[in-house]
Amino acid sequence: MSLTPKDKAAVRDLWKKISGASDVIGAETLGRLFACYPQTKIYFSHWTDVSYGSPQVKKHGKTILEGVGRAVASMDDMNKGLLELSETHAFKLKIDPTNFKLMAQCLMVVIAIMFPKDFTEEAHLATDKFLANLALALSEKYR
Amino acid sequence: MVEWTDFERTTISSIFASLDYNDVGPKALCRCLIVYPWTQRYFGAYGNLYNPAAIKSNPLIAAHGVKVMHGLDRAVKNMDDIKATYAELSVLHSEKLHVDRDNFRLLADCLTIVIAAKMGSAFTCEVQAALQKFVAVVVSALGRQYN
């Protein structure tokens, strides 16, 4: 389900509208991921505070959204653009790829909350495809 | 047997009490058919699903979206035994409608996004977690009779 030119335009369009709030979006996404899908907390057993709104969650949420931004910027060749991140996820973090879907859902919920008029069905479709491709690029080096 | 906290019970009741089923149902179903087009396979007899505009203006789809919400309402009213409440519905979806179980999650995700868009900042982290738990139980109950 690769990205058509229409999908890419829709994602870039949406990103332009939301990227100003990317720190908040990141913090919300990660906090909600842990609350709604508690099994994802296993990857953060080394943190002192995985609660919604904690400084660690906020900081890491910001990092994650910066990664999403990099994916938007390298949409025409995400495997190349996310090569380092893919290696990190494959060799260091070893996050099971099913979790990427959960993160994607949380991110889209946050976008829907903050930008309800912009997150139309068509924008949702393009974003869901984009995040699925992002997940594929992130797991590119897994095996 | 699923254990619900008081917060979860109150939250689920209050979310659904605040929803206009005639609005949210069609929106959620349309979103599912648009974002995950393979789900259209179950709606062959519903007329024109050719593009998002056609889907959004299709009265049969809208009516079915409302029906889905009333189905969910039964779970809201019977939170202590959703499994039994949905036993017949589960058989229906598997034996008659032949709906792939994965599709329940897709519709649930779309419904969550429609509710999030509607509730805005009132859809807090805790509220989302309660709804996520509820839809997970619903999805599991609907898929129960498949094997």
Side-chain angles (χ1 to χ4, degrees), chain A residues 32 37 119 121 124 128, chain B residues 31 36 56 123 128 132:
Chain A
R32 285 165 188 267
Y37 307 101
F119 204 59
E121 290 90 348
H124 182 169
D128 193 272
Chain B
R31 196 167 274 257
Y36 307 110
K56 284 190 258 189
F123 197 62
Q128 183 184 349
Q132 184 53 46

Side-chain angles (χ1 to χ4, degrees), chain A residues 73-136:
Chain A
S74 58
M75 233 186 319
D76 291 325
D77 191 348
M78 271 201 268
N79 282 350
K80 186 167 163 218
L82 299 179
L83 177 62
E84 266 178 50
L85 272 174
S86 180
E87 286 173 346
T88 304
H89 283 75
F91 305 125
K92 189 167 159 239
L93 304 175
K94 300 197 182 115
I95 294 176
D96 192 300
T98 45
N99 294 289
F100 300 146
K101 271 189 222 167
L102 306 180
M103 174 82 81
Q105 173 66 7
C106 286
L107 174 55
M108 290 191 291
V109 165
V110 173
I111 296 172
I113 290 169
M114 294 175 68
F115 304 91
K117 293 211 164 45
D118 298 306
F119 204 59
T120 60
E121 290 90 348
E122 289 87 341
H124 182 169
L125 165 61
T127 305
D128 193 272
K129 283 179 76 175
F130 165 71
L131 293 172
N133 278 278
L134 208 181
L136 274 176

Side-chain angles (χ1 to χ4, degrees), chain A residues 4-20:
Chain A
T4 64
K6 190 173 163 210
D7 294 324
K8 291 183 189 179
V11 171
R12 287 187 179 115
D13 209 51
L14 183 66
W15 183 252
K16 240 183 266 170
K17 294 177 179 151
I18 73 175
S19 59

